[in-house]
Amino acid sequence: MSKVYTTQELIQILAAERQACLKGKRLKLEIPVSGNPVIDQFLMTDGLQQFTAYQDFKAAIHEYQRENQVSGIIWREVTVKGKNLNYPEVDSELIALTSDLEILKTAKNSLVEFWYEVSMGMDLYLSFNNNKQYQQIVTSDVERIVQRTEWAGLCKWENSSFLEMILQLGWGKPEEACYKRGRPQSGSEYIHAVNPGNRPIG
């Protein structure tokens, strides 16, 4: 029986392949940019060829995950205001299996509770327009979003004078939720908690 690669090994394989593509060691040569051969000869296609080569490799890894049931979940640890939380998230280069989605759904409440605890007294903002604009909201708005979403994620921006806690509330496939390409089946909303008087930066 052949060896099945682990989640961490797949992450390392993808990182190495990404570097090879960025350095031009992997190209998908048949990529036309405009579809017009006269125009294409004047355009720089290396970047597109490198990107496409990596995307094809990544799609093959995702198929390997499905065939071998290799989880896309990694475990993170966050510490805020002296409070710790270990939580699952899907690695940004991998996909979530059905079993991974169940793990994320099970962890949702503890992530949301942790976020509420560490963001108490902070100003809350909902981001929209691809995180280019923010609208101030209140806790009851967050609760409504929590009720209609399936899983959660966390992100922290912090330095000595600034703290921003971002709660991602998502539904559907995590690998499609960050980028608007999955809507309406997959997507997410981002709630930003910042100290009073500050604006989100994340």
Side-chain angles (χ1 to χ4, degrees):
M1 187 171 155
S2 63
K3 173 190 185 312
V4 174
Y5 291 103
T6 66
T7 303
Q8 286 302 322
E9 287 170 331
L10 291 183
I11 291 168
Q12 291 167 358
I13 289 167
L14 279 165
E17 184 66 16
R18 186 171 51 247
Q19 285 304 311
C21 289
L22 288 172
K23 292 176 180 173
K25 294 179 181 174
R26 309 275 195 283
L27 297 175
K28 185 162 184 172
L29 298 176
E30 69 273 11
I31 300 296
V33 177
S34 70
N36 182 324
V38 175
I39 294 173
D40 283 350
Q41 67 182 334
F42 297 107
L43 299 175
M44 298 291 287
T45 59
D46 288 1
L48 184 60
Q49 291 169 345
Q50 292 165 3
F51 175 79
T52 306
Y54 179 67
Q55 293 305 311
D56 287 354
F57 185 83
K58 190 162 75 165
I61 292 289
H62 294 171
E63 188 56 36
Y64 179 90
Q65 278 186 263
R66 287 185 202 97
E67 288 174 3
N68 295 281
Q69 289 297 293
V70 180
S71 172
I73 290 216
I74 53 174
W75 286 85
R76 299 276 190 211
E77 182 177 357
V78 65
T79 303
V80 183
K81 300 178 180 177
K83 301 177 190 324
N84 296 322
L85 178 71
N86 287 307
Y87 64 96
E89 74 176 29
V90 176
D91 182 81
S92 61
E93 299 296 312
L94 298 176
I95 60 167
L97 304 177
T98 303
S99 56
D100 293 340
L101 288 173
E102 291 309 312
I103 292 169
L104 295 177
K105 289 174 184 178
T106 301
K108 175 187 168 186
N109 288 341
S110 62
L111 268 93
V112 171
E113 287 169 19
F114 179 84
W115 182 85
Y116 275 134
E117 200 175 328
V118 299
S119 65
M120 194 174 295
M122 298 173 82
D123 289 346
L124 307 179
Y125 290 87
L126 174 66
S127 66
F128 58 100
N129 193 13
N130 292 324
N131 291 344
K132 294 183 183 124
Q133 295 178 287
Y134 302 93
Q135 178 178 340
Q136 193 159 11
I137 58 173
V138 294
T139 304
S140 59
D141 297 321
V142 177
E143 290 166 358
R144 279 193 292 278
I145 297 169
V146 167
Q147 288 173 6
R148 55 178 209 255
T149 54
E150 299 173 339
W151 48 265
L154 286 174
C155 184
K156 173 180 83 166
W157 298 100
E158 183 177 33
N159 63 34
S160 59
S161 60
F162 182 82
L163 174 63
E164 179 175 358
M165 286 300 301
I166 304 170
L167 177 65
Q168 178 188 14
L169 294 167
W171 65 93
K173 297 177 181 178
E175 63 270 17
E176 294 180 359
C178 296
Y179 313 103
K180 305 297 183 189
R181 68 175 185 255
R183 286 189 184 253
Q185 290 82 16
S186 300
S188 57
E189 302 290 353
Y190 293 88
I191 314 296
H192 303 251
V194 293
N195 290 322
N198 287 338
R199 296 279 296 176
I201 60 168

